[in-house]
Amino acid sequence: MKKLFFLLAILFLAHSAHAQLFNKERLANQETFDKRFLTWGYFLGFNSYDFKFEYENENPDDRTDILVDGDLGFNVGLVGDMRVNDYVNIRLEPGLYYTQRNLRFPGFEEEKDILREVKSTYIHVPLLVKLSTKRLNNFRPFIVGGISTSLNLSSNEGNPQDNSGGEFRMTKTTNYFELGFGIDFYLYYFKFTPSIRGVFATSDELVPDEDPNSPWTGNITQMSTRGIFINFTFQ
C-alpha cells in the first residue's frame, strides 16, 4: 500500500509537470511572486517513517533482525521563505508530524513480548536551502536540502519502565539531514507546491533497557529514523 501511494504521488508530479510544459496557455500567473523578500504559507502532507538498526552481534544465519512495519502518517505545518537571489531561497518549515511504527522482536513466543507499537508525535523544525531552476511558463522545478531537529512528544524517555514492563523508549530530541525535490505551480490566486523529501537521522534515538543484556535492546548499538515526507504547500 505504501509503495503504491508513493508511486501515485510521483506519477502525479510527473503528469502535472507535463501538463504545464506542453499547455498552449502561456499567460503567467503570480508574475512577481518570486521577487518578494519574505513569503509565508502552510503545508499538509503524509509521511512514512522507518528505523535503521545497527547490531553488536549480527549473524546472517540467525533471525536476529527487528522487523519494522510503518503506517502512513500525517503532517501539517507552516512555511517561511526568504529570497536570497533569483535561484536560492532559505526556508523554515516547522510542523507537527504524526506517525506509528510497529516493531516485532525475534526470539519471543508471546505477542505481548514480540510487538511494540511506537506511536510518535513530532514537532519537526527543518532549515532548508531551496535551489530552483528558471521559471518555465507557470511552473518551476527545484531541489531542496538542509538540516532539521525534532522533539518527540511521545518518546517515553523519562518513563521508569522499559521493555520488561511493555514500554519502548526513545530520546526526546533527534537531529536529521534532509534532501528532496518538488515543483512550484503558479496558479491564479496562489502558488501550489507538491514535494517529496527523504529524512535521515544523524543521532541514536534508542533509550536502552536497564538490563544491559535485555533481549529487546541488548544487541542494538544504534537505532536511527529514516523517513519520506510528501507535502503539499500553499503560499
Side-chain angles (χ1 to χ4, degrees):
M1 183 63 184
K2 289 188 297 180
K3 292 181 179 179
L4 177 60
F5 171 77
F6 290 121
L7 177 60
L8 291 175
I10 292 172
L11 290 176
F12 167 76
L13 293 179
H15 174 74
S16 299
H18 181 274
Q20 286 281 343
L21 182 61
F22 295 101
N23 191 345
K24 293 181 180 180
E25 179 60 58
R26 296 297 177 183
L27 293 178
N29 298 322
Q30 302 287 329
E31 290 184 86
T32 62
F33 190 97
D34 292 332
K35 299 300 182 182
R36 304 174 193 174
F37 179 63
L38 293 175
T39 56
W40 312 94
Y42 66 92
F43 66 85
L44 304 170
F46 304 95
N47 65 67
S48 178
Y49 278 86
D50 194 359
F51 281 125
K52 178 183 178 182
F53 288 97
E54 295 181 10
Y55 303 99
E56 183 175 352
N57 297 305
E58 185 171 8
N59 188 338
D61 296 328
D62 294 335
R63 298 177 61 187
T64 58
D65 287 357
I66 300 167
L67 301 180
V68 184
D69 182 19
D71 291 338
L72 196 63
F74 179 74
N75 323 325
V76 61
L78 302 175
V79 174
D81 185 286
M82 183 181 74
R83 178 181 182 272
V84 177
N85 57 41
D86 288 343
Y87 302 100
V88 181
N89 294 67
I90 304 296
R91 298 172 69 89
L92 190 66
E93 298 186 0
L96 200 60
Y97 289 67
Y98 303 92
T99 191
Q100 178 172 332
R101 287 158 284 188
N102 299 320
L103 307 183
R104 302 190 68 84
F105 289 86
F108 297 98
E109 295 183 359
E110 297 187 30
E111 187 69 9
K112 67 180 183 67
D113 295 325
I114 296 173
L115 179 64
R116 291 291 179 267
E117 295 181 349
V118 183
K119 298 179 181 179
S120 300
T121 301
Y122 291 103
I123 298 176
H124 187 78
V125 184
L127 180 63
L128 306 169
V129 177
K130 177 183 177 185
L131 304 176
S132 304
T133 67
K134 185 177 180 180
R135 178 170 169 171
L136 305 171
N137 195 18
N138 283 321
F139 80 100
R140 194 179 193 190
F142 65 87
I143 59 173
V144 65
I147 58 174
S148 58
T149 188
S150 68
L151 176 65
N152 187 352
L153 303 179
S154 311
S155 69
N156 269 335
E157 183 175 16
N159 194 327
Q161 292 190 344
D162 57 19
N163 281 289
S164 60
E167 298 293 337
F168 186 82
R169 302 181 299 180
M170 300 170 57
T171 59
K172 284 186 178 181
T173 59
T174 307
N175 299 316
Y176 312 83
F177 70 89
E178 307 190 12
L179 185 64
F181 68 92
I183 303 174
D184 288 329
F185 292 100
Y186 300 84
L187 306 182
Y188 189 78
Y189 290 108
F190 57 89
K191 184 170 75 171
F192 170 65
T193 305
S195 63
I196 184 168
R197 202 156 74 233
V199 182
F200 309 91
T202 59
S203 54
D204 185 12
E205 298 172 71
L206 179 68
V207 176
D209 295 341
E210 296 299 325
D211 180 4
N213 297 315
S214 165
W216 290 277
T217 65
N219 194 38
I220 301 173
T221 58
Q222 182 165 322
M223 181 187 76
S224 304
T225 285
R226 299 178 296 183
I228 296 176
F229 300 161
I230 294 178
N231 286 333
F232 302 96
T233 302
F234 302 84
Q235 291 178 273

mmCIF file of all heavy atoms in Angstrom, residues 19-29 136-138:
data_model
loop_
_atom_site.group_PDB
_atom_site.id
_atom_site.type_symbol
_atom_site.label_atom_id
_atom_site.label_comp_id
_atom_site.label_asym_id
_atom_site.label_seq_id
_atom_site.Cartn_x
_atom_site.Cartn_y
_atom_site.Cartn_z
ATOM 1 N N ALA A 19 1.785 18.486 -18.077
ATOM 2 C CA ALA A 19 0.639 19.296 -18.473
ATOM 3 C C ALA A 19 0.997 20.772 -18.549
ATOM 4 O O ALA A 19 0.590 21.486 -19.464
ATOM 5 C CB ALA A 19 -0.517 19.081 -17.501
ATOM 6 N N GLN A 20 1.795 21.242 -17.576
ATOM 7 C CA GLN A 20 2.200 22.638 -17.587
ATOM 8 C C GLN A 20 3.169 22.944 -18.731
ATOM 9 O O GLN A 20 3.093 23.996 -19.359
ATOM 10 C CB GLN A 20 2.869 22.993 -16.250
ATOM 11 C CG GLN A 20 1.906 23.120 -15.100
ATOM 12 C CD GLN A 20 1.191 24.465 -15.106
ATOM 13 O OE1 GLN A 20 1.644 25.392 -15.771
ATOM 14 N NE2 GLN A 20 0.090 24.558 -14.391
ATOM 15 N N LEU A 21 4.069 22.054 -19.007
ATOM 16 C CA LEU A 21 5.101 22.302 -20.013
ATOM 17 C C LEU A 21 4.521 22.381 -21.408
ATOM 18 O O LEU A 21 4.922 23.206 -22.225
ATOM 19 C CB LEU A 21 6.165 21.197 -19.942
ATOM 20 C CG LEU A 21 7.344 21.339 -20.897
ATOM 21 C CD1 LEU A 21 8.093 22.638 -20.615
ATOM 22 C CD2 LEU A 21 8.279 20.144 -20.776
ATOM 23 N N PHE A 22 3.545 21.514 -21.704
ATOM 24 C CA PHE A 22 3.037 21.434 -23.065
ATOM 25 C C PHE A 22 1.675 22.106 -23.239
ATOM 26 O O PHE A 22 1.059 22.010 -24.292
ATOM 27 C CB PHE A 22 2.964 19.965 -23.509
ATOM 28 C CG PHE A 22 4.320 19.319 -23.595
ATOM 29 C CD1 PHE A 22 4.773 18.486 -22.587
ATOM 30 C CD2 PHE A 22 5.165 19.578 -24.661
ATOM 31 C CE1 PHE A 22 6.029 17.895 -22.643
ATOM 32 C CE2 PHE A 22 6.415 18.998 -24.730
ATOM 33 C CZ PHE A 22 6.843 18.161 -23.724
ATOM 34 N N ASN A 23 1.220 22.779 -22.221
ATOM 35 C CA ASN A 23 -0.025 23.527 -22.322
ATOM 36 C C ASN A 23 0.188 24.737 -23.230
ATOM 37 O O ASN A 23 1.159 25.475 -23.092
ATOM 38 C CB ASN A 23 -0.460 23.991 -20.921
ATOM 39 C CG ASN A 23 -1.872 24.540 -20.934
ATOM 40 O OD1 ASN A 23 -2.428 24.826 -21.981
ATOM 41 N ND2 ASN A 23 -2.432 24.681 -19.737
ATOM 42 N N LYS A 24 -0.732 24.976 -24.131
ATOM 43 C CA LYS A 24 -0.592 26.102 -25.055
ATOM 44 C C LYS A 24 -0.807 27.438 -24.357
ATOM 45 O O LYS A 24 -0.382 28.467 -24.845
ATOM 46 C CB LYS A 24 -1.580 25.958 -26.215
ATOM 47 C CG LYS A 24 -1.279 24.762 -27.125
ATOM 48 C CD LYS A 24 -2.267 24.679 -28.263
ATOM 49 C CE LYS A 24 -1.959 23.496 -29.170
ATOM 50 N NZ LYS A 24 -2.931 23.397 -30.293
ATOM 51 N N GLU A 25 -1.499 27.430 -23.222
ATOM 52 C CA GLU A 25 -1.751 28.664 -22.487
ATOM 53 C C GLU A 25 -0.455 29.182 -21.887
ATOM 54 O O GLU A 25 0.214 28.503 -21.125
ATOM 55 C CB GLU A 25 -2.771 28.400 -21.370
ATOM 56 C CG GLU A 25 -3.079 29.623 -20.532
ATOM 57 C CD GLU A 25 -3.643 30.750 -21.365
ATOM 58 O OE1 GLU A 25 -4.680 30.545 -22.014
ATOM 59 O OE2 GLU A 25 -3.018 31.824 -21.366
ATOM 60 N N ARG A 26 -0.076 30.421 -22.242
ATOM 61 C CA ARG A 26 1.192 30.966 -21.796
ATOM 62 C C ARG A 26 1.031 32.189 -20.897
ATOM 63 O O ARG A 26 2.009 32.892 -20.656
ATOM 64 C CB ARG A 26 2.044 31.345 -23.014
ATOM 65 C CG ARG A 26 2.425 30.156 -23.879
ATOM 66 C CD ARG A 26 3.290 29.169 -23.126
ATOM 67 N NE ARG A 26 3.600 28.011 -23.922
ATOM 68 C CZ ARG A 26 4.291 26.960 -23.498
ATOM 69 N NH1 ARG A 26 4.722 26.933 -22.248
ATOM 70 N NH2 ARG A 26 4.546 25.943 -24.292
ATOM 71 N N LEU A 27 -0.171 32.467 -20.424
ATOM 72 C CA LEU A 27 -0.356 33.591 -19.531
ATOM 73 C C LEU A 27 0.330 33.296 -18.199
ATOM 74 O O LEU A 27 0.130 32.240 -17.610
ATOM 75 C CB LEU A 27 -1.850 33.858 -19.305
ATOM 76 C CG LEU A 27 -2.644 34.362 -20.521
ATOM 77 C CD1 LEU A 27 -4.106 34.520 -20.150
ATOM 78 C CD2 LEU A 27 -2.071 35.662 -21.044
ATOM 79 N N ALA A 28 1.148 34.209 -17.720
ATOM 80 C CA ALA A 28 1.915 33.992 -16.495
ATOM 81 C C ALA A 28 1.080 34.385 -15.280
ATOM 82 O O ALA A 28 0.580 35.514 -15.190
ATOM 83 C CB ALA A 28 3.204 34.794 -16.540
ATOM 84 N N ASN A 29 0.947 33.450 -14.349
ATOM 85 C CA ASN A 29 0.284 33.731 -13.076
ATOM 86 C C ASN A 29 1.319 34.158 -12.035
ATOM 87 O O ASN A 29 2.464 33.714 -12.073
ATOM 88 C CB ASN A 29 -0.455 32.492 -12.569
ATOM 89 C CG ASN A 29 -1.553 32.043 -13.506
ATOM 90 O OD1 ASN A 29 -2.245 32.870 -14.102
ATOM 91 N ND2 ASN A 29 -1.713 30.730 -13.646
ATOM 92 N N LEU A 136 9.523 28.172 -15.915
ATOM 93 C CA LEU A 136 9.073 27.742 -17.230
ATOM 94 C C LEU A 136 7.552 27.837 -17.273
ATOM 95 O O LEU A 136 6.853 27.050 -16.614
ATOM 96 C CB LEU A 136 9.514 26.301 -17.516
ATOM 97 C CG LEU A 136 11.010 26.015 -17.397
ATOM 98 C CD1 LEU A 136 11.268 24.520 -17.494
ATOM 99 C CD2 LEU A 136 11.777 26.766 -18.475
ATOM 100 N N ASN A 137 7.045 28.818 -18.020
ATOM 101 C CA ASN A 137 5.607 29.051 -18.066
ATOM 102 C C ASN A 137 5.102 29.275 -16.637
ATOM 103 O O ASN A 137 5.543 30.199 -15.973
ATOM 104 C CB ASN A 137 4.897 27.902 -18.778
ATOM 105 C CG ASN A 137 3.474 28.264 -19.171
ATOM 106 O OD1 ASN A 137 3.119 29.449 -19.216
ATOM 107 N ND2 ASN A 137 2.657 27.259 -19.451
ATOM 108 N N ASN A 138 4.255 28.402 -16.131
ATOM 109 C CA ASN A 138 3.712 28.564 -14.780
ATOM 110 C C ASN A 138 4.186 27.478 -13.824
ATOM 111 O O ASN A 138 3.467 27.113 -12.883
ATOM 112 C CB ASN A 138 2.183 28.596 -14.820
ATOM 113 C CG ASN A 138 1.661 29.943 -15.294
ATOM 114 O OD1 ASN A 138 2.209 30.988 -14.935
ATOM 115 N ND2 ASN A 138 0.637 29.917 -16.130
#
